[in-house]
Amino acid sequence: MTNKEKFSTRMLKRFYGVQGELDEYRRNEIYKIGNTAFIAMFYYSLISNFLVFLILSLDEYKHLESIFLWYIWANIIFVVFGISGYIIFATKSRHLVENEVQDIAYQTKRLINIW
């Protein structure tokens, strides 16, 4: 009888690229990586919102559309390359995306039978 995973567990495994069982160590490391990424995004949003407000007030709202367009592109680039890059780097450096071999004897027999 198989134990069905919760939806949140499946989403964590899919988003972070973890294969196999999501044990307590992997779950805690994923939470640490996610919390660090959230803190970086939070401070980035505070600083970028302040800078855009400052630029708009100094510009006297003359170039409103172009400033907002640059702001949106900067946010997209930060999230896609900055946060996603950090998540990929952190999961690989903490060895969370590697498969674990449970039974070495069984795996070697299986590999020999394939050849």
Side-chain angles (χ1 to χ4, degrees), residues 66-88:
S66 63
I67 291 173
F68 279 143
L69 185 66
W70 281 103
Y71 175 63
I72 290 170
W73 280 112
N75 286 340
I76 290 172
I77 289 171
F78 177 76
V79 169
V80 169
F81 293 111
I83 299 299
S84 299
Y86 166 73
I87 289 173
I88 291 170

Side-chain angles (χ1 to χ4, degrees), residues 54-102:
L54 183 68
I55 291 170
L56 284 175
S57 63
L58 291 177
D59 190 40
E60 296 178 358
Y61 301 98
K62 292 178 184 172
H63 303 95
L64 187 68
E65 293 86 10
S66 63
I67 291 173
F68 279 143
L69 185 66
W70 281 103
Y71 175 63
I72 290 170
W73 280 112
N75 286 340
I76 290 172
I77 289 171
F78 177 76
V79 169
V80 169
F81 293 111
I83 299 299
S84 299
Y86 166 73
I87 289 173
I88 291 170
F89 176 75
T91 54
K92 285 186 180 181
S93 67
R94 295 180 186 185
H95 306 288
L96 297 177
V97 294
E98 296 175 357
N99 288 332
E100 293 181 8
V101 177
Q102 302 295 335

